[in-house]
Amino acid sequence: MIAKTFAAVFILCILGALAYAAWMWLPRAAPSAPHAPVPAASPVSSATSSIPELSPRVVAKLHASKGFQTLVSYTDDGFEPTDISVAQGSGIRFVNNSSEALTIASDPSAPYPGKSPCATSAFNSCETLQPGDFWEFTFDINGSWSFRNELDPAKVGTLNVTVHK
């Protein structure tokens, strides 16, 4: 009788160990999270699902580009980033990702040296950039320069040009 009891307990222990091992090593489903209602599918309009074609003017500017080391995005909130540091001789591409026009210029109170065809500072886009357009400028003079959107002078940025070592 003791042998039968021992055998039964032994078998129960083995089965328990196997059940525990299976529980530990077999994959389990992740706990389900409450689901938010899914809105009915709506067709995607082609206006929001496609990238607009580049204008011939932008394509020509891309072909003429000498490259750039830093990208500055102009959004409806202003320049991003607002504080930029580059090495002397570096190019920056300013891209108008806003819904409004943009004209980039050095702060007139401490302008970047040199003259452009349209201003008393070399750092001036000399053109209004429409949404999707860009302008590139290479900074050859070290120093700290402020710039702004001439069409919305409250939107500003600061550029620090350091000597390349």
Side-chain angles (χ1 to χ4, degrees), residues 110-135:
Y112 184 83
K115 293 189 184 246
S116 67
C118 65
T120 58
S121 171
F123 180 31
N124 191 305
S125 63
C126 291
E127 63 181 328
T128 299
L129 306 176
Q130 297 303 319
D133 201 357
F134 71 92
W135 175 65

Side-chain angles (χ1 to χ4, degrees), residues 61-62 64-73 86 89-95 134-139:
K61 288 171 74 174
L62 285 169
S65 173
K66 296 177 184 165
F68 61 94
Q69 290 70 40
T70 303
L71 180 67
V72 176
S73 176
V86 297
S90 294
I92 295 182
R93 178 178 284 181
F94 295 87
V95 180
F134 71 92
W135 175 65
E136 294 175 349
F137 188 78
T138 300
F139 293 88

Side-chain angles (χ1 to χ4, degrees), residues 10-161:
F10 180 74
I11 290 173
L12 287 173
C13 287
I14 295 295
L15 289 174
L18 289 173
Y20 178 75
W23 180 75
M24 289 298 291
W25 287 307
L26 290 177
R28 288 171 271 177
S32 62
H35 296 284
V38 177
S42 61
V44 177
S45 74
S46 61
T48 59
S49 65
S50 65
I51 298 172
E53 292 204 27
L54 300 175
S55 70
R57 183 170 162 267
V58 170
V59 171
K61 288 171 74 174
L62 285 169
H63 286 293
S65 173
K66 296 177 184 165
F68 61 94
Q69 290 70 40
T70 303
L71 180 67
V72 176
S73 176
Y74 184 81
T75 68
D76 291 330
D77 294 327
F79 293 98
E80 294 178 14
T82 55
D83 295 313
I84 308 153
S85 293
V86 297
Q88 186 177 8
S90 294
I92 295 182
R93 178 178 284 181
F94 295 87
V95 180
N96 186 356
N97 290 316
S98 75
S99 58
E100 302 293 327
L102 162 69
T103 301
I104 303 165
S106 178
D107 185 335
S109 65
Y112 184 83
K115 293 189 184 246
S116 67
C118 65
T120 58
S121 171
F123 180 31
N124 191 305
S125 63
C126 291
E127 63 181 328
T128 299
L129 306 176
Q130 297 303 319
D133 201 357
F134 71 92
W135 175 65
E136 294 175 349
F137 188 78
T138 300
F139 293 88
D140 294 321
I141 301 171
N142 65 324
S144 183
W145 317 104
S146 295
F147 58 92
R148 66 184 187 180
N149 176 359
E150 289 285 286
L151 305 175
D152 187 354
K155 294 184 178 168
V156 297
T158 303
L159 176 71
N160 296 300
V161 181

